[in-house]
Amino acid sequence: MIVNQNDDYFILLESIKDYVLAVQRVKFMVLVRTSNYAGSIVAAHIDELNIPEIVSTLAGINNIMIICQSDNDADIVLQAFKAISE
């Protein structure tokens, strides 16, 4: 995953560490479970970075659906989320 090294990147890292509880991949999507009321917060941080592998996000109260270009892109995003959240 290629992102700019700026404040938004570090804000996203902290959001993932603080709020993400679980991630899983389903085909070309990554499903993210967050703590309550954090889904839209984390999704907004993702959207601000315009990550090339991510087409769009859809957020709920405690979950995010990340839509990627391909299965391979979804795997890249999944592995990045897992590495950051562990």
Side-chain angles (χ1 to χ4, degrees):
M1 180 165 23
I2 301 169
V3 292
N4 296 325
Q5 296 289 329
N6 59 27
D7 290 340
D8 290 337
Y9 173 73
F10 294 108
I11 291 169
L12 174 59
L13 288 178
E14 289 302 312
S15 292
I16 292 170
K17 289 178 186 177
D18 291 345
Y19 302 122
V20 171
L21 304 175
V23 292
Q24 73 181 72
R25 184 172 72 89
V26 179
K27 298 284 186 184
F28 58 90
M29 296 178 288
V30 177
L31 307 177
V32 180
R33 188 166 49 94
T34 68
S35 52
N36 285 337
Y37 304 102
S40 59
I41 294 168
V42 177
H45 295 307
I46 293 167
D47 292 341
E48 288 173 6
L49 287 173
N50 297 313
I51 298 168
E53 292 86 358
I54 297 175
V55 175
S56 184
T57 62
L58 179 63
I61 291 173
N62 64 352
N63 58 65
I64 306 164
M65 180 175 65
I66 301 173
I67 301 168
C68 299
Q69 290 282 353
S70 66
D71 292 354
N72 186 55
D73 285 348
D75 196 47
I76 291 168
V77 172
L78 173 72
Q79 296 309 318
F81 267 74
K82 282 185 173 182
I84 295 165
S85 63
E86 292 177 347

